[in-house]
Structures are given as C-alpha cells and as structure tokens.
Amino acid sequence: MSAPAPIPFIDLTPGEDHAAVRAALDRVVARGWFVLGPEVGAFESEFATASGAPFAIGVGNGTDAIALALRALGIGHGDEVIVPAMTAAYTALAVIAAGATPVLVDVEPHTLTIDPAACAAAVTSQTRAIVPVHLYGQAADMESIRSVASRHSLAIVEDCCQAHLATDRGVAVGTRCEAAAFSFYPTKNLGALGDGGIVITGSEALASRVRRLRNGGQQERARHVEAGVNSRLDDLQAAVLRARLPLLPQWTTRRRALAARYRQLLPSSLRTIRERDAGHVYHLFPVLTAERGVLQTHLTSAGIETMVHYPVALTDQPAFAAFVSHECPVATAAASELLSLPLSPRLTDADVERVANAVATFVKGHRSA
Ligand SMILES: *Cc1c(COP(=O)(O)O)cnc(C)c1O
C-alpha cells in the first residue's frame, strides 16, 4: 500500500478561479495601465460594497493599511496605540511605521483576541487608539473594546487582515470604528498573487487623506502637501482580486464547514479556539497543546503539514523589547502551545478527517496533551 498523498498546509496555485485569474491578468497586460488604474478603482468600490463600508482605498499591503489609517487619523510621534501581544508582528510594526508607540497588552485565554480589561488598564494620557485584531478570523470582543475607547476618547482601527467577510453579532467587522485594514497577502482568505491591502472607512475625510498618503502625499499631480509614502495597489493585483471576490462567500462557507467538521472529530480533551461568534471566517484553525512539538512531528510523519501562528508573543520579540510595559502571560503561554491545522477551501472532507484522525491517535497516546 502506498502512503496517502501529503496534505499541504495551503496550496496557492489558482484552482477553480484559474480561468478568471488568467483573464484578469491578460486584460491588464493588454491595457498597459499598471498602477492606480481602472482595476484599482473598480476593486475599491466592489470591496467597499462586499465589506459594508462607504469608502475603500487600495494600498500596498495590510501593514501599510494599518499605518496609513493611523496617520490619517493624525496619530504619530508621541502617541500610544494599544495592540495585542498575540498577532502577526506586522500589527505592531504598522504602529511604529506610523511614528507612534505600540503598547502591547495581553489577550483573552479562550479566543486569544485582545483583552478589553487589559486595554483599559493600559490607557495613559498619551493613548490615542486601540488596534484590535480579529485573530484567526474571529472578531475580538468589540462591544467591550468600544466601551473602553469611548470612555477614553480613543480611535479604533480594526486589524481585519485575517477576517474578510467576518461579522460581529451580525454586523460586518471594520464598519463600526474609525477605519479598518485588510491584507491580500496570498495566504489570506482573499489573497492576491503578491502583496496588497485596503483601508475601509465611513469617513470621507479620512478616505481622502489615506488616498493622498498612499500616493506620496500628492493632492494633485506633483503637488505634495504632506510627506506620504509609496503604497499603491497595482492593477494586476486588483484585477486578480476582482476575479476572486465573487468566490469569497462560497470559500468562507467552505472554511466554516471544515472547521465545524474539525470540531466534531477532534478529541474533546484537545483545546481549540472558542467560537464566540458564528461570524468567524476561520482564516486558521489552531489547536493548543503542551506537546506541540511532538504533535507537529507526528503529523509531519503522517504527511500532514502544519504551521504555528504565532510561535513568539510580541512581548518576547527582540524587535519590541523597548515597548514591553505589561506582562502578557496568556500570549506567552499560547505561543508555546499553538499549532495550526490545515484549513483551506481546497481541502476535501476526507483530508480533514485524516488530519483529525491523526491528531486523535496522537492524543490517545499522550494523555497530557
Ligand atoms: C497578514 C497580517 C498583517 C499584515 O498584512 P501584510 O499584507 O502582510 O502587510 C497584519 N496583521 C495581521 C493580523 C495579519 O494576519
């Protein structure tokens, strides 16, 4: 009997969208307009509609989307911005890129999203904003975060880089705050064939400032009214994203179905991220175990590829040593226990069953897992 085919963590080659992606690329090449052209404008309005926001501004990547949203709010040098200690480092790097100071706070134990009480405890006279992260595709506890923000007059910029089409109590994420940022890095729920990002907002003034900042701070051609950056979405990526956006609802449904299957099949003793809201879009499906390293090796030898999101809490990253002012024990402990199982719309039911069975076999043999 031959070994079963390996299950990759993710397959980024186009699948059912292949023909539409090729046609999009050909269209842009034939047109010969590659940066801030008609595909970008069209995608901005289509993404705004899909995400329930009045305005959307395409930028170079998700990190820039966060940084430019903060800058457009007037946040920069001397200002503190609260971010969770368990996220992609880019969340905090974006705050630094905006010129502000990230303040790292702990996350909640069952969802690993930012802890509203920790946010409240971290507020100082310099605090200007909170950047909650909808980690793994699930909204942070926004009701509590909004109440902290309104009590202290703080802006909220939501990091929706893992949460395309996610909802929070039935309302689209990113639509009840000053601005929100999305990434189209190839592995995201909506991914390009390279880097890309977008800012959504309900404020026309904020939208036009982000629009200006992404393009060197130009008000009109060659008139730079402020020191912006070069962070433009290009037309090849926008065209690919336009081809994929109509498929995103069905891909999201598929992610939810596969996650539900994992929840049925995985041993109940194994810790998973709690689903607090059915609007979760399952960018990732992590489990937590004290035996993470051995479980990963066990799955690798069964032909199952896994990854860790994230192996180091931001408070334990050398790059952020200067910004550690609060203990983040939940994030630190999770970093040594997290293991993301494969979850992408391309997986079959049989793939997910094979992964779950392999995990169950391991757990049976390792009581302490
Ligand atoms: C991917 C990601 C980012 C950064 O997006 P890029 O497009 O890679 O710059 C920021 N925050 C989170 C939570 C992410 O997952």
Side-chain angles (χ1 to χ4, degrees):
M1 219 177 83
S2 62
I7 299 178
F9 188 73
I10 192 168
D11 177 1
L12 294 174
T13 59
E16 61 184 317
D17 56 340
H18 189 271
V21 165
R22 286 257 40 130
L25 295 173
D26 290 344
R27 186 170 76 232
V28 175
V29 170
R31 185 186 296 119
W33 186 349
F34 298 112
V35 174
L36 294 187
E39 303 288 343
V40 173
F43 176 65
E44 286 174 339
S45 80
E46 288 159 14
F47 191 80
T49 301
S51 60
F55 305 99
I57 310 95
V59 296
N61 53 68
T63 308
D64 284 352
I66 300 167
L68 295 184
L70 290 169
R71 282 190 64 182
L73 283 161
I75 294 169
H77 186 70
D79 296 330
E80 293 179 358
V81 176
I82 297 172
V83 302
M86 178 49 66
T87 176
Y90 294 95
T91 309
L93 291 171
V95 173
I96 296 170
T101 303
V103 174
L104 307 170
V105 305
D106 213 356
V107 292
E108 299 190 289
H110 300 292
T111 55
L112 302 187
T113 53
I114 194 166
D115 182 345
C119 291
V123 172
T124 72
S125 58
Q126 319 297 315
T127 310
R128 295 286 312 281
I130 304 174
V131 180
V133 177
H134 303 317
L135 195 68
Y136 309 135
Q138 172 159 252
D141 178 1
M142 292 308 300
E143 206 161 82
S144 306
I145 291 160
R146 271 192 293 272
S147 99
V148 173
S150 76
R151 218 176 317 136
H152 299 281
S153 305
L154 309 177
I156 296 177
V157 172
E158 293 179 27
D159 180 341
C160 299
C161 290
Q162 303 188 352
H164 314 70
L165 299 191
T167 56
D168 175 22
R169 298 174 181 90
V171 179
V173 294
T175 59
R176 298 176 66 196
C177 56
E178 275 68 22
F182 292 81
S183 166
F184 305 118
Y185 184 75
T187 61
K188 308 292 177 167
N189 287 21
L190 179 62
L193 303 185
D195 281 307
I198 208 162
V199 176
I200 63 167
T201 178
S203 156
E204 188 165 12
L206 205 61
S208 44
R209 185 136 188 226
V210 173
R211 219 171 271 288
R212 189 166 84 184
L213 282 169
R214 76 171 168 185
N215 199 20
Q218 294 175 85
Q219 185 80 304
E220 58 205 73
R221 213 189 95 71
R223 277 191 48 84
H224 296 260
V225 299
E226 65 178 324
V229 294
N230 177 352
S231 184
R232 302 175 295 226
L233 186 60
D234 71 67
D235 276 51
L236 282 169
Q237 302 308 340
V240 168
L241 292 165
R242 291 184 71 198
R244 289 179 166 174
L245 185 57
L247 295 164
L248 187 56
Q250 75 202 45
W251 289 345
T252 303
T253 302
R254 181 71 186 148
R255 285 179 181 278
R256 287 177 175 146
L258 293 175
R261 195 77 185 115
Y262 269 138
R263 289 192 190 281
Q264 284 169 346
L265 296 174
L266 288 172
S268 56
S269 63
L270 186 69
R271 278 174 292 147
T272 57
I273 300 295
R274 180 177 296 167
E275 183 181 290
R276 183 173 45 205
D277 192 307
H280 194 331
V281 293
Y282 289 97
H283 173 57
L284 293 166
F285 195 97
V287 298
L288 294 103
T289 165
E291 316 242 21
R292 190 254 309 282
V294 227
L295 174 58
Q296 185 165 37
T297 304
H298 168 83
L299 293 175
T300 302
S301 55
I304 296 160
E305 191 185 1
T306 56
M307 291 185 73
V308 177
H309 302 87
Y310 293 89
V312 183
L314 301 199
T315 36
D316 299 316
Q317 293 279 11
F320 303 126
F323 307 112
V324 178
S325 45
H326 303 270
E327 297 275 303
C328 298
V330 177
T332 296
S336 67
E337 299 195 330
L338 284 160
L339 186 67
S340 302
L341 304 181
L343 193 163
S344 78
R346 300 275 281 280
L347 292 184
T348 63
D349 292 358
D351 290 333
V352 162
E353 282 154 26
R354 211 177 103 205
V355 176
N357 286 337
V359 174
T361 306
F362 175 85
V363 170
K364 220 176 284 169
H366 291 72
R367 287 260 165 258
S368 65

